[in-house]
Amino acid sequence: MAIIIRAALASDSQEIAQVSEHLGYTSLSPAESHANLVALLDSPDDKVFVAQLGGRIVGWIHVFFARRLASNSFYEIGGLVVLPDTRGQGVGRMLVKHVLAHQPGQYRVRCNEVRTDAHAFYGSIGFKHSKVQHVFRAVSDNK
């Protein structure tokens, strides 16, 4: 069976959410997952692609254009997930190569420091480690 890479559709939201659970992403309600996907599909700066095997979604990738004021803008991989039972079959590599082939430019990806398998994966497909950073977050109650 061949792996097919295609643009995501709004109707894929449930399957994408199911694949996402395998990497520990916060579980969203079906309505929240659908709304998030529709917003990304409607955005000119975001692209979402899925990998299908035998008619079932086995992986997805989200890429967005990150504009910067004081440095060069770039594309960033916002997420890449492949189902555990299809890892090692080239699905992730195919998703990344698809994005790189269809949108030339500089790409970045951020990986949690504990995801050493992801570090090795990105290194194996030509990404170079460029820096270590801390991520801070805050919540504003101002509406």
Side-chain angles (χ1 to χ4, degrees):
M1 247 183 283
I3 296 168
I4 298 168
I5 307 296
R6 64 167 175 80
L9 305 170
S11 58
D12 294 327
S13 64
Q14 183 177 358
E15 279 190 274
I16 289 172
Q18 291 169 345
V19 172
S20 301
E21 291 174 7
H22 291 280
L23 200 56
Y25 285 114
T26 304
S27 183
L28 300 174
S29 72
E32 290 170 321
S33 292
H34 184 75
N36 284 358
L37 178 59
V38 168
L40 293 175
L41 296 177
D42 288 344
S43 166
D45 295 326
D46 293 89
K47 302 288 182 212
V48 180
F49 297 95
V50 296
Q52 279 187 304
L53 180 62
R56 130 183 177 215
I57 293 176
V58 296
W60 60 261
I61 189 169
H62 166 223
V63 176
F64 62 93
F65 188 67
R67 285 186 175 77
R68 295 296 183 256
L69 179 62
S71 62
N72 291 329
S73 299
F74 55 91
Y75 295 95
E76 184 166 334
I77 297 174
L80 171 64
V81 183
V82 175
L83 284 176
D85 64 344
T86 54
R87 289 185 190 147
Q89 297 179 31
V91 176
R93 182 179 304 268
M94 288 176 67
L95 284 163
V96 173
K97 286 188 174 189
H98 180 83
V99 167
L100 296 176
H102 288 85
Q103 190 62 58
Q106 179 183 339
Y107 281 79
R108 292 185 188 175
V109 63
R110 301 168 200 259
C111 297
N112 188 308
E113 65 184 345
V114 300
R115 292 198 169 133
T116 55
D117 56 339
H119 305 166
F121 167 75
Y122 285 110
S124 75
I125 60 172
F127 282 71
K128 305 291 183 218
H129 184 262
S130 64
K131 70 178 176 178
V132 175
Q133 64 184 157
H134 296 274
V135 177
F136 299 89
R137 68 180 189 177
V139 177
S140 171
D141 291 333
N142 296 337
K143 305 250 176 190

